[in-house]
Amino acid sequence: MRHSVRRNPHLVLRFIERETSPVARPGPLVVLWRWRYEAMLLVGGPAVVGVAVRAAGPAVTIVAGSLVGLLVLLWPQARREVAGRFWCVVTPHRVRKACAEALIVSRRGKLPVILRTRPEPFGERLWVWCRAGTSPGDLEQARDMIAAACWLAHEVRIARDPHRTSVVIVDVLRRAGRPVPGEPPETGERTLTRFRP
C-alpha cells in the first residue's frame, strides 16, 4: 500500500536556496573571533591553575577553587551573574546558526555580524550588524526561528538601532515577567525604532 507524500513547497524552496547560495565558510581569524571566550577559557584556565599550584601548592589551590565554586552556587547574585555570562557566550552562536538556517546571508554567503552581547534582567541583548545584502527585515521575518534556536528563550524581539540603520537590536527574552528596558509597562510600546515592513 503506497502512501501519498505531501510536499511542502516552502521546504523545497529552502532546499533549492540552500544549494544555490550556501553559507560561506568563515576564515581562521573569524573562527578565532567567534570562539574567543572558549579559547581563552581553554588556554587561560589551565594556565591559572598551573600558576596557582606553583605559587600556593595543590592543597591551597583545591581549597580556594572549591570555595569560589561554593560561593557561586550559594550566593544568588553571583549565580545570576555567571549564568548571564554563560548565556552571553552561547546566544551569539545560536543566533548565527539560526541566521544560517534561515538563509539570512549576503550574496557572497556572509552572515550578519554580532557586534556585542550584553546580559539583561530579561535575558540577553545583542547588537547585530546587517551586511550589504541583508536587512533588518530579514531578521524580523526569521524571529520565530531565532527564538527556537536560542535555547530556553520564550520570545525574541527585533528593533532597529535608532542611530545606525544597519544595526539591529535583538532582545532574547528568557525570563518571563521581567520588563524590557525602553518599553513602558503600561502601554507595551517600544521607544526604540520598531521595524515595520
Side-chain angles (χ1 to χ4, degrees):
M1 184 170 146
R2 289 184 71 178
H3 295 283
S4 63
V5 177
R6 295 176 62 194
R7 292 188 179 171
N8 185 339
H10 179 68
L11 290 178
V12 172
L13 184 61
R14 271 190 73 200
F15 175 76
I16 292 170
E17 286 176 345
R18 175 176 281 157
E19 294 303 315
T20 58
S21 62
V23 177
R25 285 190 173 274
L29 292 177
V30 173
V31 170
L32 185 61
W33 176 254
R34 288 180 182 173
W35 291 88
R36 65 192 177 276
Y37 299 115
E38 293 87 343
M40 284 190 303
L41 187 62
L42 187 67
V43 173
V48 167
V49 171
V51 168
V53 167
R54 284 187 184 172
V60 175
T61 302
I62 291 171
V63 169
S66 300
L67 286 176
V68 169
L70 190 63
L71 179 70
V72 168
L73 285 175
L74 296 179
W75 189 23
Q77 180 63 31
R79 196 171 50 239
R80 279 192 296 271
E81 188 68 29
V82 169
R85 295 298 170 189
F86 169 78
W87 285 116
C88 282
V89 172
V90 170
T91 301
H93 294 299
R94 302 308 305 159
V95 170
R96 273 192 292 274
K97 182 64 174 169
C99 288
E101 291 297 322
L103 293 174
I104 302 173
V105 295
S106 67
R107 289 189 186 250
R108 295 179 60 198
K110 302 288 188 181
L111 293 168
V113 178
I114 297 173
L115 301 172
R116 182 177 177 208
T117 305
R118 185 176 73 192
E120 295 285 345
F122 55 82
E124 298 85 46
R125 176 167 282 177
L126 293 90
W127 282 264
V128 180
W129 174 51
C130 293
R131 297 177 189 255
T134 60
S135 70
D138 297 335
L139 288 167
E140 179 70 29
Q141 289 176 349
R143 190 175 57 167
D144 292 336
M145 193 174 291
I146 294 170
C150 293
W151 301 325
L152 303 177
H154 63 86
E155 186 181 353
V156 170
R157 295 186 184 166
I158 310 286
R160 286 188 181 179
D161 186 286
H163 305 291
R164 295 172 297 270
T165 57
S166 62
V167 175
V168 179
I169 298 171
V170 178
D171 290 333
V172 178
L173 286 81
R174 295 190 189 280
R175 297 171 197 88
R178 299 285 178 108
V180 178
E183 180 175 303
E186 65 275 356
T187 62
E189 294 180 15
R190 296 186 61 101
T191 56
L192 295 172
T193 307
R194 183 83 175 140
F195 176 75
R196 288 180 177 77

